[in-house]
Amino acid sequence: VSNLAMPAIVGPPVERRLGRVRWLFLYLAGGLAGQATGVSWEPRGAWNSVAIPGLIGGWFVLQAKAVGLDHP
């Protein structure tokens, strides 16, 4: 259930901020990086489960930049 709910919760705000093309790139980059790491540890698939943290990480970076946390 969380694999369906999390993209619906996190996806729209990130898409509004980045646009569709960059949102898709962030989702796919997170999915590919997570999948490659997961396969190197244990060869089983988990595409959506590893792509969602990419969106969440992107959202946190955007929020940090918005409040000025990207500069020490």
Side-chain angles (χ1 to χ4, degrees):
V1 172
S2 68
N3 284 343
L4 296 173
M6 288 307 291
I9 294 168
V10 176
V14 177
E15 184 180 0
R16 276 193 298 275
R17 190 79 189 270
L18 293 178
R20 284 190 177 145
V21 173
R22 287 195 284 176
W23 180 95
L24 182 61
F25 175 78
L26 183 62
Y27 182 82
L28 292 176
L32 291 172
Q35 187 69 17
T37 303
V39 165
S40 70
W41 286 339
E42 183 178 337
R44 291 193 310 189
W47 280 96
N48 193 39
S49 296
V50 297
I52 295 168
L55 287 178
I56 294 170
W59 179 249
F60 282 132
V61 168
L62 289 172
Q63 293 305 310
K65 285 184 173 192
V67 296
L69 295 177
D70 59 335
H71 295 98

